[in-house]
Amino acid sequence: MSGPTPDTLDEAAIATARARLYGLLAATFDGEAETIAAALEGEAFATVAEAFPIDIATANLRGDGHDAESLKIGYDNLFVVPGRHYVPPFASAHAVDPSEEFESDSRYHTAGEAGELLGDPAADMAQLYAAAGFSPERGDDIPDHVAASFEFMRALCEREAALLEGGGREGSLDAVRDLQARTLSRLGWIDRFEDAVADRDTVEGVFAAIARLARTFTAWDAQEVVDADDRPSETTPA
């Protein structure tokens, strides 16, 4: 087995940087208020955003004016407590089409309509996790929760970096990158998620800015890094 070359070490550094951002996004959308506050105060969001060639405003990603308690309240209002500000943080709720096989006794769900809990997108993500032998710790046991999806991408990027640094086999590296591409191809729903967060987070705008970062970064990552274009995808209507 050959050792790493300068080119693979550069690729490993990129994979490590991607892993850090995905990890930060996973923690954010899992409600780790202390992590969010520290990232804002230390300008971690802005720094990682500026490290990649993506065009995004970073003004609301900086500053120490957000304490953990207020961020926790804001997170709960947006992503936990049903109400006029609530945005479901999982793909099934933003699906364009209803799942093929879905049964629910919830009074909030009408048979044959999209906007579900644990619909087809959840099953798709669960299959990807199983293929990688991965069990999400984030996302409240909801496979298509945005925090679980980003946690998975963090793990895959870390695995890619380790293979590159250790001169791993090409087949193993290709398998990891294929899982990344297949995962990113299923994250088109984040476009609609970000639109909804931007519409509801109109006071401080912190989570709207982070959702915008997530949308922009995942789109760039899918197109420029892992080439997800040829994989089956969840498409976003015009």
Side-chain angles (χ1 to χ4, degrees):
M1 182 182 300
S2 60
T5 66
D7 286 344
T8 59
L9 289 176
D10 287 345
E11 291 179 350
I14 293 172
T16 298
R18 291 167 58 226
R20 288 173 179 167
L21 180 50
Y22 279 121
L24 187 56
L25 292 172
T28 296
F29 290 111
D30 204 37
E32 284 193 6
E34 295 284 353
T35 299
I36 304 168
L40 290 168
E41 183 174 359
E43 300 192 352
F45 288 112
T47 298
V48 294
E50 292 166 353
F52 295 98
I54 57 177
D55 183 17
I56 184 168
T58 59
N60 285 342
L61 300 174
R62 304 175 185 271
D64 58 0
H66 305 283
D67 62 88
E69 183 177 354
S70 64
L71 287 167
K72 179 61 175 173
I73 293 172
Y75 176 88
D76 287 349
N77 285 338
L78 281 169
F79 307 119
V80 177
V81 182
R84 64 189 184 92
H85 295 292
Y86 178 63
V87 181
F90 45 87
S92 296
H94 299 270
V96 177
D97 299 314
S99 298
E100 293 183 6
E101 296 183 7
F102 181 82
E103 295 182 3
S104 173
D105 58 3
S106 170
R107 62 192 179 94
Y108 298 105
H109 177 72
T110 301
E113 293 185 359
E116 310 153 337
L117 172 65
L118 302 178
D120 286 346
D124 290 343
M125 289 305 302
Q127 289 176 354
L128 289 176
Y129 300 153
F134 177 79
S135 297
E137 296 182 359
R138 299 190 182 280
D140 297 325
D141 294 323
I142 301 173
D144 56 340
H145 194 291
V146 65
S149 299
F150 286 153
E151 181 191 7
F152 186 46
M153 282 300 299
R154 175 197 58 76
L156 292 174
C157 291
E158 288 180 346
R159 178 58 178 160
E160 178 185 1
L163 287 168
L164 289 165
E165 290 170 350
R169 294 178 180 177
E170 185 175 347
S172 298
L173 188 58
D174 287 345
V176 169
R177 287 173 170 167
D178 181 67
L179 280 169
Q180 291 179 16
R182 290 167 64 190
T183 301
L184 287 167
S185 73
R186 287 162 174 79
L187 295 184
W189 69 276
I190 290 179
D191 291 1
R192 295 187 290 283
F193 174 72
E194 187 268 331
D195 287 341
V197 176
D199 183 59
R200 291 165 176 78
D201 185 24
T202 57
V203 180
E204 296 182 345
V206 172
F207 289 102
I210 299 173
R212 180 63 180 175
L213 170 61
R215 175 182 184 173
T216 306
F217 177 71
T218 53
W220 171 82
D221 201 24
Q223 181 175 354
E224 301 296 334
V225 180
V226 301
D227 191 17
D229 291 344
D230 295 332
R231 306 316 197 276
S233 62
E234 191 267 22
T235 56
T236 302

